[in-house]
């Protein structure tokens, strides 16, 4: 039976905390380490199920992936050097792991079967497979969902491709394949998505250029690349820090600090929105870690007001909408979030799961094809059991909801949180949050 967790009225939250390493950067650190020659030492890697699945897949392909006293060490095989008969590669719940690794497999002369859990097996892979097929990847399977048999080739073709959806996963898969192709592969994007792949390619010594091209940005990687092992420090995940931040905002008298959080501008839309809502947030001690900007974030609770969150902000906060919707329920007035189409194809249909959770907790909310409206500021009933639909962010968002509600909020699947933030409950309890195992 699935374990349930319940959260109840808490506060004030107090303390100084850190969150585990950024999930996006952790996947990439392992992958680039495996594509480099020599050793890559990673500090602060996120040790969560999603990232460990990518590490395991790289191990099956012949890279050395080991935990060491100081972090993780990856012994790479060079671009095109991964081999072996890996059989099935199981990516669990992770869209990032599966999609980025499709770009790697495209350039290898091997056949593998990609599998995942029930949630991942219902997510669209066509958006990645279409450009990769154009480069030479062979795909066996009935449609564009896992399980799929993928056969790569050492004769990959470089392409030019404009992203039809703003997706860093699609961009990254093409750039990773491009490392294996002769000549230049270019991805055009109309909306900026997270640029961790570009930054890390540069860090590992790949030739990559990013330039404006009219209304688009052109990202070009030169293939047949040679990468060398590096030291990588992974900053704290702003998408995980978002839950702590939201918890402090919805509980009275709270004051917390989260140290060492990634503040790459392609990831901070949630924090920009909170500031517009009147949240007391203070960013201090700005610094750089492993080629990425990092800061400490102090959060204090106080009155919040509803805002309009414009569609063009979506890529910079795509994983934060469920928890923003929870904060909006505690803010006075209407919060309207636009441009949410991509939420429909996340670990769950996040627009539907978020709306269902809000409604179950007694919050006045409505959604359309790609928008969500939350009318907040009234006391929140809670007293709800939330269906997480195998979605870690739905689980954590609604545990935050319960911290300010009149009666507890229960989530139906505590285990799913381990996909991205295994220490969530422990860290939250350390700050004073009432989160307990539930038998209800
Ligand atoms: C990610 C990109 C985003 C995000 C996911 C991680 C990445 O997905 O939702 O959690 O690491 O590249 P899309 O790029 O598909 O929007």
């Amino acid at each position: 039976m699935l374990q349930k967790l319940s959260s109840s009225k808490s506060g004030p939250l107090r303390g100084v905390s850190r969150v585990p390493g950024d999930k996006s950067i952790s996947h990439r650190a392992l992958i680039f380490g495996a594509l480099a020659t020599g050793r890559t030492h990673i500090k602060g890697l996120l040790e969560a199920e999603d990232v460990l699945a990518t590490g395991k897949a790289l191990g099956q392909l012949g890279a050395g992936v080991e935990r060491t006293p100081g972090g993780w060490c990856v012994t790479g095989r060079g671009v095109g050097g991964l081999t072996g008969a890996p059989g099935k590669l199981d990516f669990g719940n992770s869209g990032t792991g599966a999609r980025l690794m499709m770009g790697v497999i495209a350039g290898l002369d091997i056949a593998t079967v990609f599998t995942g859990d029930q949630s991942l097996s219902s997510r669209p892979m066509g958006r990645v497979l279409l450009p990769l097929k154009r480069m030479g990847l062979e795909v066996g399977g009935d449609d564009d969902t896992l399980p799929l048999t993928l056969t790569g080739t050492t004769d990959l073709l470089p392409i030019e491709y404009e992203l039809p959806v703003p997706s860093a996963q699609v961009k990254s898969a093409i750039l990773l394949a491009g490392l294996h192709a002769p000549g230049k592969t270019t991805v055009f994007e109309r909306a900026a998505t997270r640029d961790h792949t570009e930054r890390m390619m540069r860090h590992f010594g790949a030739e990559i250029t990013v330039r404006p091209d009219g209304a688009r940005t052109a990202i070009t990687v030169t293939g047949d690349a040679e990468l060398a092992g590096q030291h990588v420090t992974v900053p704290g995940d702003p998408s995980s820090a978002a839950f702590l931040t939201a918890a402090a905002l919805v509980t009275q008298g709270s004051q917390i600090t989260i140290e060492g959080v990634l503040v790459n501008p392609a990831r901070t839309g949630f924090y920009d929105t909170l500031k517009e809502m009147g949240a007391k947030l203070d960013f201090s001690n700005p610094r750089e870690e492993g080629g990425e900007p990092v800061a400490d974030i102090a959060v204090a609770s106080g009155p919040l007001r509803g805002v309009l969150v414009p569609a063009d902000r979506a890529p910079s906060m795509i994983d934060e909408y469920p928890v923003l919707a929870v904060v909006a329920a505690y803010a006075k007035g209407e919060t309207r979030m636009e441009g949410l189409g991509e939420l429909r194809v996340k670990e769950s249909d996040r627009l539907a799961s978020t709306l269902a959770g809000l409604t179950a907790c007694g919050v006045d909310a409505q959604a359309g094809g790609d928008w969500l409206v939350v009318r907040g500021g009234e006391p929140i009933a809670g007293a709800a059991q939330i269906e997480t639909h195998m979605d870690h962010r739905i689980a954590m968002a609604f545990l935050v909801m319960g911290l300010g509600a009149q009666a507890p909020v229960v989530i139906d699947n505590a285990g799913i949180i381990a996909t991205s933030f295994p220490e969530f409950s422990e860290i939250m309890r350390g700050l004073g949050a009432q989160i307990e195992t539930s038998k209800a």
Side-chain angles (χ1 to χ4, degrees), residues 147-388:
L148 287 167
T149 302
L150 303 181
T151 309
T153 171
T154 48
D155 291 324
L156 222 49
L157 294 172
I159 57 166
E160 292 194 349
Y161 190 76
E162 180 174 316
L163 297 180
V165 284
S167 167
Q169 294 177 354
V170 179
K171 170 175 70 176
S172 302
I174 300 167
L175 294 175
L176 282 162
L179 285 177
H180 297 76
K184 292 183 190 300
T185 293
T186 300
V187 178
F188 297 99
E189 65 178 7
R190 287 195 177 269
T193 63
R194 63 191 71 192
D195 61 353
H196 310 304
T197 298
E198 295 91 310
R199 287 173 187 252
M200 211 174 279
M201 278 191 171
R202 227 168 265 134
H203 186 57
F204 276 82
E207 208 182 305
I208 175 157
T209 61
V210 179
R211 61 185 163 81
D213 179 76
R216 315 181 295 183
T217 300
I219 304 142
T220 301
V221 65
T222 303
D224 287 336
E226 284 183 25
L227 309 184
Q230 298 295 331
H231 287 264
V232 178
T233 302
V234 184
D237 194 328
S239 299
S240 298
F243 298 108
L244 275 61
T245 303
L249 292 176
V250 306
T251 48
Q252 278 180 15
S254 295
Q255 196 154 19
I256 66 165
T257 300
I258 315 161
E259 291 181 337
V261 182
L262 173 74
V263 289
N264 178 322
R267 298 286 300 280
T268 49
F270 172 71
Y271 299 92
D272 298 337
T273 305
L274 291 181
K275 280 189 183 160
E276 290 174 7
M277 295 173 86
K280 289 186 225 154
L281 295 186
D282 182 49
F283 290 72
S284 63
N285 196 11
R287 55 206 185 268
E288 200 165 283
E289 273 176 20
E292 293 274 4
V294 171
D296 303 333
I297 307 178
V299 192
S301 55
L304 301 172
R305 58 183 173 272
V307 292
L308 170 69
V309 190
D312 63 5
R313 199 174 292 164
S316 68
M317 54 177 296
I318 194 66
D319 292 331
E320 279 67 80
Y321 284 101
V323 74
L324 179 68
V326 166
V327 174
Y330 286 91
K332 202 168 170 46
E334 182 175 295
T335 295
R336 184 178 172 90
M337 302 162 226
E338 295 181 344
L340 307 188
E342 279 295 296
L343 292 194
R344 299 269 182 208
V345 290
K346 293 295 176 187
E347 284 82 332
S348 67
D349 173 344
R350 268 190 191 152
L351 197 41
S353 329
T354 302
L355 179 67
L358 291 167
T359 308
C361 290
V363 177
D364 182 4
Q366 276 172 300
D370 68 348
W371 55 266
L372 177 65
V373 167
V374 181
R375 287 177 207 91
E378 297 298 322
I380 287 160
Q385 172 148 320
I386 305 298
E387 288 182 49
T388 53

Side-chain angles (χ1 to χ4, degrees), residues 14-35:
R14 290 284 158 89
V16 178
S17 189
R18 296 186 85 85
V19 288
D22 184 69
K23 182 156 75 68
S24 295
I25 296 178
S26 294
H27 282 291
R28 288 161 173 80
L30 291 173
I31 292 172
F32 283 106
L35 296 182

